[in-house]
Amino acid sequence: MTSHQERYDNWAPDYNKDVAARNYDGPEYMVEYLMELADANKVPVSPSLPDFKILDVACGSGLVGQMLQKKGFSHIDGTDLSQGMIVEAHHSGAYQTLMAWINLNQPLPFFLHGQYDLTVCCGVFALDFVEPKSLSHLVQVTKPGGTIIMSTKTTYYDTYDFAGYYQSLVETGALELVDYRMNKPYLGTEADGHYWVFNVPAAQEGAA
Ligand SMILES: C[S@@+](CC[C@H](N)C(=O)[O-])C[C@H]1O[C@@H](n2cnc3c(N)ncnc32)[C@H](O)[C@@H]1O
């Protein structure tokens, strides 16, 4: 068991209460940002699209899923390293399928690959939870033509070479940057979050 898994298993029953007290705005900011881009037709994201499937990676107690559910999305699956957090996500009632013990530092399970129209990951590229290369694991589970929205804490972005990593994926054609916002609400009163929106390009016909 990793130290993060143990910490979140222990914290899970009090997580929602504690982060509310610390003004954790990440989930709300991320979903509002996503819907603004959707309304502007910058991302193919809508609850009215048929069979629209979302994966919330490291979903925690389900705060992002609940926000998405309020926007009308009905098929939301979730994964997390911590079983305790997955139990809380189950109580939220926002998810169809939930999977515990899924470590984002490793490729996500094969049967999830290429399955999701939208992959969300909030509050996870922070501290030392995951390495920047975990972005490639989000790409794997997203359908060609699908969208990824994720946050990086400003301190994470400054410490790890997240920009260098996502740019390397853009250069290989695995990812396109659609939009981003830096220094926006995340935790507490500081604007300490960056938000990133990517498109996973559809395979080009005739491409080698
Ligand atoms: C700050 S919480 C964010 C939870 C949720 N996404 C939200 O915004 O409320 C971080 C979550 O990441 C999970 N986590 C930490 N390291 C992880 C890893 N390597 N792989 C998958 N999940 C991880 C924790 O269990 C916890 O649920």
Side-chain angles (χ1 to χ4, degrees), residues 8 15 24 27 58-60 63-64 80-82 85 102-105 122-123 129-130:
Y8 276 98
Y15 176 86
Y24 178 46
C59 63
L63 295 175
V64 178
D80 201 277
L81 185 62
S82 156
M85 295 297 269
I102 305 292
N103 187 348
L104 182 55
N105 281 314
C122 186
F129 293 162
V130 291

Short mmCIF file of all heavy atoms in Angstrom, two decimals, residues 8 15 24 27 58-60 63-64 80-82 85 102-105 122-123 129-130, ligand 1:
data_model
loop_
_atom_site.label_atom_id
_atom_site.label_comp_id
_atom_site.label_asym_id
_atom_site.label_seq_id
_atom_site.Cartn_x
_atom_site.Cartn_y
_atom_site.Cartn_z
N TYR A 8 -5.43 8.58 2.22
CA TYR A 8 -6.79 8.85 1.73
C TYR A 8 -7.80 7.85 2.28
O TYR A 8 -8.96 8.21 2.52
CB TYR A 8 -6.81 8.94 0.21
CG TYR A 8 -6.41 10.34 -0.25
CD1 TYR A 8 -5.11 10.62 -0.65
CD2 TYR A 8 -7.32 11.38 -0.21
CE1 TYR A 8 -4.75 11.91 -1.04
CE2 TYR A 8 -6.97 12.67 -0.59
CZ TYR A 8 -5.68 12.92 -1.00
OH TYR A 8 -5.32 14.20 -1.37
N TYR A 15 -13.33 13.66 4.33
CA TYR A 15 -12.73 14.44 3.23
C TYR A 15 -13.63 15.59 2.79
O TYR A 15 -13.19 16.75 2.73
CB TYR A 15 -12.43 13.49 2.06
CG TYR A 15 -11.89 14.20 0.83
CD1 TYR A 15 -10.54 14.46 0.69
CD2 TYR A 15 -12.76 14.59 -0.19
CE1 TYR A 15 -10.05 15.10 -0.44
CE2 TYR A 15 -12.27 15.23 -1.32
CZ TYR A 15 -10.92 15.48 -1.45
OH TYR A 15 -10.44 16.13 -2.56
N TYR A 24 -12.08 24.24 -1.11
CA TYR A 24 -11.57 23.52 -2.28
C TYR A 24 -12.53 23.76 -3.44
O TYR A 24 -13.62 23.20 -3.49
CB TYR A 24 -11.47 22.03 -1.96
CG TYR A 24 -11.01 21.17 -3.12
CD1 TYR A 24 -9.93 21.54 -3.90
CD2 TYR A 24 -11.65 19.97 -3.42
CE1 TYR A 24 -9.51 20.74 -4.97
CE2 TYR A 24 -11.23 19.16 -4.47
CZ TYR A 24 -10.17 19.57 -5.24
OH TYR A 24 -9.75 18.78 -6.29
N PRO A 27 -13.15 21.24 -8.19
CA PRO A 27 -14.21 20.56 -8.95
C PRO A 27 -15.21 21.52 -9.59
O PRO A 27 -15.55 21.39 -10.77
CB PRO A 27 -14.87 19.65 -7.90
CG PRO A 27 -13.78 19.39 -6.91
CD PRO A 27 -13.01 20.68 -6.82
N ALA A 58 -9.02 9.21 -10.52
CA ALA A 58 -8.73 9.64 -9.15
C ALA A 58 -9.89 10.51 -8.67
O ALA A 58 -9.71 11.66 -8.25
CB ALA A 58 -7.38 10.34 -9.04
N CYS A 59 -11.07 9.92 -8.75
CA CYS A 59 -12.33 10.65 -8.50
C CYS A 59 -12.53 11.03 -7.04
O CYS A 59 -13.40 11.85 -6.73
CB CYS A 59 -13.51 9.81 -8.97
SG CYS A 59 -13.69 8.24 -8.07
N GLY A 60 -11.73 10.42 -6.15
CA GLY A 60 -11.90 10.74 -4.73
C GLY A 60 -13.30 10.44 -4.25
O GLY A 60 -13.90 9.41 -4.59
N LEU A 63 -16.67 14.53 -5.87
CA LEU A 63 -17.12 15.93 -5.98
C LEU A 63 -17.29 16.35 -7.44
O LEU A 63 -18.24 17.05 -7.78
CB LEU A 63 -16.12 16.85 -5.27
CG LEU A 63 -16.00 16.65 -3.76
CD1 LEU A 63 -14.88 17.53 -3.18
CD2 LEU A 63 -17.33 16.97 -3.07
N VAL A 64 -16.37 15.91 -8.32
CA VAL A 64 -16.46 16.28 -9.74
C VAL A 64 -17.66 15.57 -10.37
O VAL A 64 -18.43 16.19 -11.12
CB VAL A 64 -15.17 15.94 -10.49
CG1 VAL A 64 -15.29 16.27 -11.97
CG2 VAL A 64 -13.98 16.68 -9.88
N ASP A 80 -9.98 5.26 -8.52
CA ASP A 80 -9.13 5.92 -7.50
C ASP A 80 -8.19 4.88 -6.91
O ASP A 80 -8.48 3.68 -6.92
CB ASP A 80 -9.97 6.56 -6.39
CG ASP A 80 -9.20 7.65 -5.64
OD1 ASP A 80 -8.43 7.31 -4.72
OD2 ASP A 80 -9.36 8.84 -5.99
N LEU A 81 -7.09 5.37 -6.36
CA LEU A 81 -6.16 4.50 -5.66
C LEU A 81 -6.76 4.01 -4.33
O LEU A 81 -6.51 2.89 -3.90
CB LEU A 81 -4.87 5.31 -5.39
CG LEU A 81 -3.69 4.62 -4.78
CD1 LEU A 81 -3.19 3.49 -5.68
CD2 LEU A 81 -2.56 5.63 -4.54
N SER A 82 -7.54 4.88 -3.71
CA SER A 82 -8.01 4.61 -2.34
C SER A 82 -9.40 3.97 -2.35
O SER A 82 -10.37 4.54 -2.89
CB SER A 82 -8.06 5.93 -1.57
OG SER A 82 -8.97 5.87 -0.51
N MET A 85 -11.96 6.23 -0.49
CA MET A 85 -12.51 7.32 -1.29
C MET A 85 -13.57 6.79 -2.26
O MET A 85 -14.60 7.44 -2.51
CB MET A 85 -11.40 8.06 -2.05
CG MET A 85 -10.42 8.79 -1.13
SD MET A 85 -11.18 10.10 -0.14
CE MET A 85 -10.96 11.51 -1.20
N ILE A 102 -6.71 1.67 -8.33
CA ILE A 102 -6.21 1.97 -9.67
C ILE A 102 -5.21 3.11 -9.55
O ILE A 102 -5.58 4.25 -9.22
CB ILE A 102 -7.36 2.38 -10.62
CG1 ILE A 102 -8.47 1.31 -10.65
CG2 ILE A 102 -6.81 2.66 -12.01
CD1 ILE A 102 -8.10 0.00 -11.29
N ASN A 103 -3.95 2.78 -9.81
CA ASN A 103 -2.85 3.74 -9.65
C ASN A 103 -2.58 4.44 -10.97
O ASN A 103 -2.21 3.79 -11.96
CB ASN A 103 -1.60 2.98 -9.17
CG ASN A 103 -0.47 3.92 -8.82
OD1 ASN A 103 -0.51 5.12 -9.13
ND2 ASN A 103 0.54 3.38 -8.17
N LEU A 104 -2.74 5.76 -10.98
CA LEU A 104 -2.55 6.53 -12.22
C LEU A 104 -1.08 6.60 -12.64
O LEU A 104 -0.78 7.02 -13.76
CB LEU A 104 -3.17 7.93 -12.05
CG LEU A 104 -3.13 8.86 -13.25
CD1 LEU A 104 -3.75 8.25 -14.49
CD2 LEU A 104 -3.78 10.19 -12.91
N ASN A 105 -0.17 6.22 -11.76
CA ASN A 105 1.23 6.17 -12.19
C ASN A 105 1.51 4.99 -13.12
O ASN A 105 2.61 4.90 -13.67
CB ASN A 105 2.16 6.11 -10.98
CG ASN A 105 2.33 7.48 -10.36
OD1 ASN A 105 2.55 8.46 -11.07
ND2 ASN A 105 2.20 7.56 -9.04
N CYS A 122 -9.09 15.88 -11.56
CA CYS A 122 -9.03 17.12 -10.77
C CYS A 122 -8.29 16.89 -9.45
O CYS A 122 -8.60 15.93 -8.74
CB CYS A 122 -10.46 17.60 -10.49
SG CYS A 122 -10.52 19.21 -9.69
N GLY A 123 -7.34 17.73 -9.16
CA GLY A 123 -6.70 17.70 -7.84
C GLY A 123 -5.70 16.58 -7.68
O GLY A 123 -5.37 16.21 -6.55
N PHE A 129 1.72 13.03 -6.00
CA PHE A 129 0.78 11.92 -6.23
C PHE A 129 1.12 11.17 -7.51
O PHE A 129 1.14 9.95 -7.55
CB PHE A 129 -0.65 12.44 -6.38
CG PHE A 129 -1.25 13.03 -5.14
CD1 PHE A 129 -2.37 13.85 -5.23
CD2 PHE A 129 -0.73 12.77 -3.88
CE1 PHE A 129 -2.95 14.40 -4.11
CE2 PHE A 129 -1.29 13.33 -2.74
CZ PHE A 129 -2.40 14.15 -2.87
N VAL A 130 1.29 11.94 -8.58
CA VAL A 130 1.52 11.31 -9.89
C VAL A 130 2.62 12.04 -10.65
O VAL A 130 2.85 13.23 -10.44
CB VAL A 130 0.24 11.29 -10.77
CG1 VAL A 130 -0.81 10.35 -10.21
CG2 VAL A 130 -0.32 12.68 -10.98
C1 LIG B 1 -7.14 15.90 -3.62
S1 LIG B 1 -7.96 14.37 -3.90
C2 LIG B 1 -8.95 14.83 -5.33
C3 LIG B 1 -10.15 13.93 -5.48
C4 LIG B 1 -11.17 14.40 -6.52
N1 LIG B 1 -10.65 14.28 -7.86
C5 LIG B 1 -11.61 15.80 -6.22
O1 LIG B 1 -11.27 16.72 -6.99
O2 LIG B 1 -12.30 15.96 -5.20
C6 LIG B 1 -6.70 13.36 -4.62
C7 LIG B 1 -7.17 11.95 -4.98
O3 LIG B 1 -6.13 11.31 -5.72
C8 LIG B 1 -6.02 9.98 -5.29
N2 LIG B 1 -4.67 9.54 -5.62
C9 LIG B 1 -3.50 9.91 -5.05
N3 LIG B 1 -2.46 9.34 -5.69
C10 LIG B 1 -3.01 8.58 -6.68
C11 LIG B 1 -2.46 7.73 -7.69
N4 LIG B 1 -1.14 7.55 -7.81
N5 LIG B 1 -3.30 7.10 -8.53
C12 LIG B 1 -4.65 7.26 -8.43
N6 LIG B 1 -5.23 8.04 -7.50
C13 LIG B 1 -4.42 8.70 -6.64
C14 LIG B 1 -6.34 10.00 -3.81
O4 LIG B 1 -6.75 8.75 -3.32
C15 LIG B 1 -7.45 11.07 -3.78
O5 LIG B 1 -8.73 10.48 -3.92
#
